Amino acid sequence: MKLIHWTWLPVYGTLTILLVVLFTTGISWSQENEDEDLVSSYMQEYTGADADKVGSSNCLMCHSAYSPPEDPLTHPGLFENNPDGPFFEKGCELCHGPGGSHMGDVAGIINPSLMNGYEITGLCSRCHATLGSYNRDGWDLSRHSETGFTCFTCHSGHSENASFLTVEDKEELCNRCHGAVASGSDYTEHHPVEAANLNCFTCHNQHSGEFQAMLKKAPEELCTTCHGDKHDLQASADAGLGLGVTNCLDCHFEGAGGLWGSDRCFTCHFDLFPEPQFTHAAIIDSDPENENYGHGCEACHGAGGTHLQDPRGILQPTTLDPEGVTDLCSMCHDDLRTYNQRNWGLSEHYSADLSCLNCHGGHSVEESFLLNESGLELCYTCHADKRALFNMRSHHPVEEGRMACTACHNTHSGQYESQLNAERDELCYGCHADKQGPFIYDHDVSLSSGGDGCFTCHFVHGSNTDNLTRYPQRLCQECHTDRDPSTHFPGSCWTAGCHTEIHGSNQHPLFFN
């Protein structure tokens, strides 16, 4: 450690030598927490008789600019207005050393502004070793100390500022280095300060590095002072989410305004953790080839960091109108399986102001395409009348699980009527290929013949008649009005044994067998 001024040593007595010892070797002792005896002996020596002390009133004869005001906030003012205090009339010399040395030699005075950081810290710590938020050990651990700050970066012994002798208003002082962060004007980078009636010192101890980010307490303890109603990190751990999150700042940190990964989302939202692995987040985060890999939650909700600074700063799909939901989902699903956005706009579902979220849930664990519930029950939510039809004597085997609504209908498309997967007859021929033909003698109810196709004679979902037929005893008379049932055999035209090839024939124009 370098000596401050060798010129101080030969002159001016015992007190000067003690001060030089203090400010040259005492600093290293302080770093080892061994300066207590030195400070004590200095104080005893200083408060005793010494011919070199001249008193503050004599100092102020020349240095009148530093005269303490009536309501003093400067160092000398604090001492000189307290006649009963141990340093009355000694306020200037407490920091600068005996004035007599200075009167004999202008250079024979301690000038703190010429000291290095360690020396300044040692000087101030003689009185302020543990004062308010400051202690020497905490200061040596701080980022401010590492950066080369000294007490005089923020404070001045001659300051008249009521806020702890700072060189300017405390918040403005922080702004010197921390700019928009200290004022909270950059909402995505830091806790809101001005907007929340807080200040830098609500959370930070500018004098100590005992806790990360120079906080006053451990983050989990400090944050819950105001946010005690927020989640318990232990609850996340108990839920089996050991994601390396040990305190609030693991998620809520400066610069957290961007994407940051699903793992951190699940720390708070552990009830949505993908188990089993069939949610949006699980599908995306298990596929390294996916463009949103690792950010499954944020693929739909936007950057999680924004949400941390303001709970409203997240995209909540359930608050969007149907168009908004469609646009959001279409970012990834514009052409996926049975869906594309153009055909969706033609559908009856779209016309009814339904959205993807009416049937699907991003957090659903239902393996059939993230449905909110099983497919059949989901359809019955709106189409309850079809439940009764599927329970009639003759019906398509939907309730039995042998086919689903989607066997005939495309829930996402209005390309064909009734949101069918194909033109009506073509759709029926998918299962009933033997009825398609071509026949030499075609039954002219087919769509190709200008009729109503299969629907002319058959119900679709269910019926209490054989083969889903409409009006079995008079079905043919709906078209063949010139035929009198009384002149024919009893029964229907095809069950009486005559017109048995009713869908079409290669044998006879009247569909005889």
Side-chain angles (χ1 to χ4, degrees), residues 44 52 104 107 116 128 143 158 184 186 190 203 211 240 242 245 311 313-314 328 341 367 394 398 405 411 495 510:
Q44 291 174 5
D52 287 334
N116 65 35
H128 301 297
R143 182 69 184 274
H158 301 130
D186 188 344
H190 200 273
C203 300
F211 301 106
V245 177
I314 197 74
L328 175 65
Q341 193 168 4
E367 294 191 14
S394 177
V398 173
C405 303
T411 53
T495 61
L510 298 178

Side-chain angles (χ1 to χ4, degrees), residues 13 33 43 59 88 93 108 123 131 163 237 258 264 269 316 321 347 357 364 376 391 400 423 454 478 483 488 510:
N33 298 317
M43 292 302 180
C59 297
F88 179 62
E93 294 165 296
L123 173 66
L131 178 66
S163 297
R264 281 194 170 123
H269 304 287
Q316 180 53 274
D321 61 22
S347 71
L357 296 181
S364 171
L376 184 57
N391 279 281
E400 292 81 358
E423 290 285 0
C454 305
E478 293 291 312
R483 300 294 188 267
H488 283 66
L510 298 178

Side-chain angles (χ1 to χ4, degrees), residues 303-361:
T306 308
H307 178 47
L308 293 173
Q309 314 309 328
D310 179 359
R312 298 163 298 179
I314 197 74
L315 179 59
Q316 180 53 274
T318 57
T319 65
L320 300 176
D321 61 22
E323 287 283 359
V325 173
T326 299
D327 289 341
L328 175 65
C329 297
S330 295
M331 289 194 301
C332 297
H333 302 300
D334 183 48
D335 196 1
L336 179 67
R337 299 187 183 93
T338 63
Y339 173 85
N340 70 66
Q341 193 168 4
R342 180 182 63 83
N343 286 340
W344 169 253
L346 301 173
S347 71
E348 293 176 32
H349 283 166
Y350 173 81
S351 299
D353 279 338
L354 298 184
S355 77
C356 309
L357 296 181
N358 285 102
C359 299
H360 303 276

Side-chain angles (χ1 to χ4, degrees), residues 90-409:
K90 305 178 182 71
C92 300
E93 294 165 296
L94 192 62
C95 297
H96 293 286
S101 304
H102 180 46
M103 294 169 69
D105 179 355
V106 174
I109 196 73
I110 297 174
N111 188 342
S113 64
L114 299 178
M115 293 178 174
N116 65 35
Y118 286 111
E119 292 165 343
I120 290 172
T121 302
L123 173 66
C124 297
S125 294
R126 289 178 308 151
C127 297
H128 301 297
T130 53
L131 178 66
S133 63
Y134 175 83
N135 69 71
R136 179 63 191 272
D137 290 339
W139 172 257
D140 287 341
L141 297 171
S142 72
R143 182 69 184 274
H144 284 167
S145 176
E146 290 176 5
T147 309
F149 285 12
T150 73
C151 306
F152 298 140
T153 304
C154 301
H155 302 278
S156 168
H158 301 130
S159 171
E160 297 179 14
N161 193 315
S163 297
F164 306 104
L165 305 182
T166 52
V167 295
E168 58 184 310
D169 179 73
K170 288 192 297 184
E171 280 74 21
E172 290 304 317
L173 197 57
C174 297
N175 270 326
R176 279 184 178 184
C177 299
H178 301 291
V181 172
S183 67
S185 59
D186 188 344
Y187 208 77
T188 65
E189 293 291 322
H190 200 273
H191 195 294
V193 177
E194 292 177 347
N197 256 348
L198 306 176
N199 61 48
C200 306
F201 312 104
T202 306
C203 300
H204 296 281
N205 180 351
Q206 69 275 28
H207 298 126
S208 176
E210 181 180 358
F211 301 106
Q212 66 186 103
M214 297 183 69
L215 295 174
K216 287 184 171 181
K217 303 176 183 178
E220 60 272 21
E221 183 181 354
L222 178 66
C223 297
T224 52
T225 303
C226 296
H227 304 290
D229 59 330
K230 297 301 180 282
H231 70 282
D232 183 354
L233 287 173
Q234 189 59 46
S236 297
D238 293 343
L241 302 181
L243 303 172
V245 177
T246 59
N247 66 56
C248 306
L249 293 191
D250 283 336
C251 294
H252 304 266
F253 61 101
E254 291 186 28
L259 294 171
W260 63 340
S262 300
D263 279 357
R264 281 194 170 123
C265 300
F266 293 132
T267 304
C268 294
H269 304 287
F270 57 85
D271 56 313
L272 301 176
F273 190 73
E275 182 63 43
Q277 299 287 309
F278 206 85
T279 67
H280 260 129
I283 293 171
I284 293 171
D285 293 339
S286 62
D287 179 12
E289 301 299 319
N290 192 293
E291 62 177 333
N292 293 307
Y293 176 66
H295 301 283
C297 303
E298 294 161 300
C300 297
H301 293 286
T306 308
H307 178 47
L308 293 173
Q309 314 309 328
D310 179 359
R312 298 163 298 179
I314 197 74
L315 179 59
Q316 180 53 274
T318 57
T319 65
L320 300 176
D321 61 22
E323 287 283 359
V325 173
T326 299
D327 289 341
L328 175 65
C329 297
S330 295
M331 289 194 301
C332 297
H333 302 300
D334 183 48
D335 196 1
L336 179 67
R337 299 187 183 93
T338 63
Y339 173 85
N340 70 66
Q341 193 168 4
R342 180 182 63 83
N343 286 340
W344 169 253
L346 301 173
S347 71
E348 293 176 32
H349 283 166
Y350 173 81
S351 299
D353 279 338
L354 298 184
S355 77
C356 309
L357 296 181
N358 285 102
C359 299
H360 303 276
H363 304 134
S364 171
V365 295
E366 214 284 327
E367 294 191 14
S368 297
F369 310 108
L370 305 181
L371 297 177
N372 292 330
E373 53 186 319
S374 71
L376 184 57
E377 290 301 319
L378 186 63
C379 294
Y380 285 159
T381 303
C382 296
H383 305 288
D385 59 311
K386 302 303 185 287
R387 185 193 296 272
L389 294 175
F390 284 132
N391 279 281
M392 288 185 171
R393 182 167 63 84
S394 177
H395 58 266
H396 277 108
V398 173
E399 286 281 350
E400 292 81 358
R402 290 166 54 193
M403 65 186 299
C405 303
T406 51
C408 298
H409 297 279

